[in-house]
Amino acid sequence: MQEITGREPQTWGTIIGFGSCHYRYPTGTEGDSGVLGFAPRKAATTIYLFDGVDAHSEALAELGPHTTGVGCLYIKDLEQVDLDVLRSILERSLAWVEAGGTPDVQLTVTG
């Protein structure tokens, strides 16, 4: 993720993030996060995708063993997934964040 974003890692609680952005939802919920990030967990590594997993359905079909949540990709073993496919997912998600998101999710890259 550091190579993809060109940004240094930093921690956001238990999440390792790269770069930073401010997000705002129509509900008024807002906060700060990394533009890309992951959390090493016992059950699986969690990769956070601001644009959601549905935006990557075709690539996810080719990724290899994984599970998903609304905006999370869970990978138990990185050696079993196609790292080129994972990289393309991360690059596409980063481009979406850097473009400012959508009217439903306003994103401002701050670092």
Side-chain angles (χ1 to χ4, degrees):
M1 289 185 184
Q2 181 176 5
E3 185 177 303
I4 293 168
T5 64
R7 296 168 172 101
E8 294 295 318
Q10 58 188 33
T11 56
W12 299 85
T14 60
I15 297 171
I16 300 167
F18 298 82
S20 58
C21 69
H22 185 78
Y23 60 87
R24 183 175 332 172
Y25 293 97
T27 60
T29 301
E30 62 182 290
D32 297 298
S33 182
V35 294
L36 285 181
F38 73 97
R41 306 276 189 236
K42 185 176 183 178
T45 297
T46 303
I47 298 172
Y48 299 94
L49 302 170
F50 264 116
D51 56 345
V53 296
D54 289 344
H56 306 281
S57 58
E58 289 182 27
L60 289 172
E62 298 178 20
L63 179 63
H66 70 279
T67 56
T68 61
V70 174
C72 298
L73 174 59
Y74 304 103
I75 298 176
K76 290 185 180 184
D77 186 351
L78 280 173
E79 292 180 4
Q80 292 186 13
V81 298
D82 186 323
L83 295 179
D84 291 331
V85 172
L86 178 58
R87 182 183 185 96
S88 72
I89 291 169
L90 295 171
E91 288 171 343
R92 184 172 172 193
S93 185
L94 175 62
W96 186 86
V97 169
E98 289 179 333
T102 66
D104 291 336
V105 183
Q106 296 174 354
L107 297 165
T108 305
V109 176
T110 57

